[in-house]
Amino acid sequence: MDEITSSGRTVNSSARAHRRRPHYIAATFWALITFGAVSYTFSAAPGHLNGIWIGLITLAYTIYLYRGGRWVLFIF
């Protein structure tokens, strides 16, 4: 069954677009980093406002990974 028939048209199954799978493990890792950055923002440490930028950037990257992003980064 290499071909799929739908509404009178024939489509080759190898030509179908593949959905990207979400990267749950990496996204959870970055969600924890985001939580840490946000909690650091509300602390009294010097330079604590830098946590706002770190939190926003990692939040955007976490959402990107949950939606099936292509590039996955781990920092250890």
Side-chain angles (χ1 to χ4, degrees), residues 5 8 19-20 24 49 67:
T5 305
R19 262 188 82 161
R20 291 190 198 141
Y24 291 117
L49 293 177
R67 291 186 173 189

Side-chain angles (χ1 to χ4, degrees), residues 4-76:
I4 298 173
T5 305
S6 174
S7 68
R9 295 190 315 175
T10 304
V11 179
N12 188 356
S13 64
S14 62
R16 287 186 297 171
H18 295 286
R19 262 188 82 161
R20 291 190 198 141
R21 292 186 357 215
H23 303 284
Y24 291 117
I25 295 172
T28 304
F29 169 77
W30 285 105
L32 292 173
I33 299 295
T34 301
F35 178 73
V38 169
S39 64
Y40 179 68
T41 300
F42 295 112
S43 71
H48 65 280
L49 293 177
N50 291 333
I52 293 172
W53 299 111
I54 295 169
L56 290 174
I57 291 169
T58 55
L59 177 65
Y61 186 63
T62 300
I63 293 170
Y64 167 76
L65 289 176
Y66 272 121
R67 291 186 173 189
R70 177 180 285 185
W71 306 101
V72 178
L73 300 173
F74 275 114
I75 297 176
F76 292 105

